[in-house]
Amino acid sequence: MRLQDLPQTREEVEEIGKIVGPEAVILLGKEATETAFKKEPLDQFRVLHLAVHGFADTQYPSVSTGVGDRPKIR
């Protein structure tokens, strides 16, 4: 399944990065992989911003999930 980019996500994250300042860690596009995300010291982050596509299963809500771009800011 091919997912489209989430509208305005890049601009949103870049603006948040400006607020956070030079300590911000931002992963966008091809850099926003699960592997890259897990390599970060997540226990040291105060704020995580994740932009993802969500899939809801109304019959089995516990298996609902999110996938897609995962930009983050520290």
Side-chain angles (χ1 to χ4, degrees), residues 15-44:
E15 288 301 314
I16 294 169
K18 290 177 187 176
I19 294 167
V20 173
E23 293 181 2
V25 176
I26 300 174
L27 299 177
L28 289 169
K30 293 180 190 256
E31 294 179 352
T33 65
E34 181 176 356
T35 301
F37 181 77
K38 288 181 175 179
K39 284 183 180 179
E40 295 294 334
L42 300 176
D43 61 331
Q44 297 176 21

Side-chain angles (χ1 to χ4, degrees), residues 53-64:
H53 293 275
F55 293 97
D57 186 324
T58 56
Q59 186 173 2
Y60 303 101
S62 64
V63 298
S64 296

